[in-house]
Amino acid sequence: MKKSRGRAGRKRRRKHLQSFMDGVNCSHELEYIKLKKWLKDRGFEERNLRPAQFQDTGRGLMTTKGLQAGDLIISLPEKCLLTTSTVLGSYLGEYIMRWKPPVSPLIALCTFLIAEKHAGEKSQWKPYLDVLPKTYTCPVCLEHDVVGLLPEPLRKKAQEQRTMVHDLYVSSKAFFSSLQPLFAENTGTIFNYSALEWAWCTINTRTIYMKHSQRECFSLEPDVYALAPYLDLLNHSPNVQVKAAFNERTRRYEIWTNSLCKKYEEVFICYGPHDNQRLLLENLTFGWDGPSWRLLTAIKLLGLAADEFTCWRRTLLGDVISARNEQQTLNITAKICHFLIEETQHVLLQISQLKRNKENLKAHLALVEALRLEDLKILQKSAEILCSLNTATT
């Protein structure tokens, strides 16, 4: 007997298809098939999470069953984790242990990633390396033309990161050279600046926190990194709550959710109560609630009249000193806000022109454009709030 193809059947099919509209299942792709087989050989088998491509977040993990608060999201065996213990147990171990002064845990991991990527088909970690991003949009990777378009705090951070990675590369060159007996090719070619930049970004964007005991073969910098294959496909959201830690009893890294997640939705973890932009950018002038207390207080203090100077402590406590001071503060803050709106709109126009002329910078420009658009929305909302406050006081 044929299955019913009536209205109820169509409705069920539409509902089922709608469930997948937010995320396109990618688990059939060869790189993920190989990764899951590799992980299975190391004791990990995941039945409820599927790699998927999402419209808003890009690559992530989709759940095939509804998750309730208190459910285990993922449990990854220690054997799957890439840590400094992995590096010390490899062909690099003896070189690291005898090098003086000791290298940092970060450089040890970077070195391993670069060496394994260079090994290609011979690398035991190839299935994991194949799913890692080939390029990154971290501030340190941005082209000089793009860095100049960033909001000021992020521009400064990008410049600081560039200096830090450059210094790391220069200070590690001698150690990289000591590894020459391991390679037929010149180590200067293998461990070049671009390779270190890629490895540094991999560790800084994809590692989980996992504290390790201090070892004499490493410098005194904290040894808190662990790369977690498959788990690191989970994207960040400030709207979820999770509990994540290495379970000493089971010898597994576990993540438990304290939030609900519907079947076929993307599963998120939270690195802290900040949105993606706030992970990079700390804007202390304007927010979704309007101008910051810090900005308003600074303008109030600068606007105190000669006979109001003695009231500066009251200003810091949030007291109203005079109607004149309050109105002046709102006027100056509104001018600053409108200036920043115009500046942001001008930068967005520059980005639009560069996107047409420089195809190779499109990915980097898209990131900066997203940050600037977010800033513009915040500033426009602040301008509305300031307009309302001005109307109320006049």
Side-chain angles (χ1 to χ4, degrees), residues 113 116-117 120 123 125-134 198:
L113 281 175
E116 288 296 299
K117 190 179 181 184
S123 171
W125 290 82
K126 187 179 187 302
Y128 175 52
L129 294 170
D130 284 348
V131 298
L132 287 174
K134 305 296 183 284
W198 172 82

Side-chain angles (χ1 to χ4, degrees), residues 30-43:
L30 186 59
E31 61 181 5
Y32 295 116
I33 292 171
K34 287 182 176 180
L35 176 64
K36 292 193 85 171
K37 183 183 181 303
W38 180 78
L39 288 167
K40 187 177 179 181
D41 292 342
R42 290 169 175 251

Side-chain angles (χ1 to χ4, degrees), residues 255-267:
I255 298 181
W256 302 77
T257 182
N258 289 323
S259 307
L260 299 176
C261 186
K262 292 178 183 176
K263 188 177 182 180
Y264 300 127
E265 281 189 346
E266 182 174 8
V267 182

Side-chain angles (χ1 to χ4, degrees), residues 258-355:
N258 289 323
S259 307
L260 299 176
C261 186
K262 292 178 183 176
K263 188 177 182 180
Y264 300 127
E265 281 189 346
E266 182 174 8
V267 182
F268 290 98
I269 54 174
C270 183
Y271 301 112
H274 307 284
D275 60 39
N276 284 336
Q277 181 174 356
R278 290 301 173 265
L279 289 172
L280 296 171
L281 174 62
E282 294 177 3
N283 188 336
L284 298 174
T285 53
F286 295 95
W288 289 109
D289 298 326
S292 69
W293 175 88
R294 188 171 176 171
L295 176 64
L296 289 172
T297 304
I299 295 172
K300 282 180 183 180
L301 284 169
L302 290 168
L304 289 174
D307 59 343
E308 294 172 341
F309 285 162
T310 54
C311 303
W312 68 270
R313 283 192 180 86
R314 285 174 52 203
T315 305
L316 291 175
L317 294 171
D319 290 353
V320 174
I321 304 305
S322 66
R324 181 205 61 79
N325 183 264
E326 289 294 303
Q327 188 60 54
Q328 179 180 266
T329 299
L330 288 176
N331 291 341
I332 293 172
T333 307
K335 284 180 181 178
I336 293 171
C337 187
H338 285 296
F339 171 79
L340 291 173
I341 287 172
E342 288 178 9
E343 182 190 52
T344 304
Q345 288 171 334
H346 176 68
V347 171
L348 284 166
L349 182 62
Q350 286 181 286
I351 292 169
S352 179
Q353 291 168 344
L354 277 171
K355 281 172 78 175

Side-chain angles (χ1 to χ4, degrees), residues 14 50 94 105 123 128 136 139-140 178 198 202 208 231 271 278 281 290 296 312-313 325 355 358 361 371 377 387-388:
R14 277 200 303 270
R50 299 282 183 274
E94 62 175 292
S123 171
Y128 175 52
Y136 289 93
V140 70
S178 75
W198 172 82
T202 298
I208 52 176
L231 183 155
Y271 301 112
R278 290 301 173 265
L281 174 62
L296 289 172
W312 68 270
R313 283 192 180 86
N325 183 264
K355 281 172 78 175
K358 298 200 174 184
L361 297 181
L371 290 170
K377 288 176 188 174
C387 185
S388 299

